[in-house]
Amino acid sequence: HNTTCHSIGASKMNNECTSFRNSCREENAEGCRRSFQKVKREHAVLRQKLESYFQLLRQAGPARTTAVRSGGK
């Protein structure tokens, strides 16, 4: 699971969120703005990767389910 999250970019998204929180705590307005832009960009990338990932799962799902059913009979 951790490898999957890393490969689709979830860890990068988490890092950007941490950077954003730190900038906000330090009351660094410019750092906050810059970090927020990075969070938005990483969110868009992650969302696209997740949509592709779930599309592949949906395509593979019926074939896998059919194979399990036919093998079990």
Side-chain angles (χ1 to χ4, degrees):
H1 176 264
N2 198 15
T3 303
T4 302
C5 288
H6 180 70
S7 65
I8 61 173
S11 61
K12 194 168 183 182
M13 178 72 188
N14 185 50
N15 292 342
E16 294 300 345
C17 287
T18 299
S19 179
F20 175 69
R21 275 193 308 270
N22 290 340
S23 293
C24 291
R25 281 186 195 131
E26 295 166 4
E27 297 181 4
N28 176 355
E30 179 59 27
C32 234
R33 188 189 63 75
R34 217 180 7 239
S35 292
F36 183 65
Q37 293 302 319
K38 288 181 182 178
V39 167
K40 283 175 40 176
R41 209 169 22 249
E42 289 305 321
H43 176 262
V45 169
L46 180 59
R47 181 178 174 160
Q48 184 177 17
K49 288 180 179 182
L50 283 172
E51 285 174 355
S52 297
Y53 176 72
F54 286 123
Q55 184 178 3
L56 287 172
L57 285 180
R58 281 192 298 272
Q59 290 172 358
R64 202 175 332 143
T65 305
T66 303
V68 170
R69 278 194 217 135
S70 63
K73 288 183 179 180

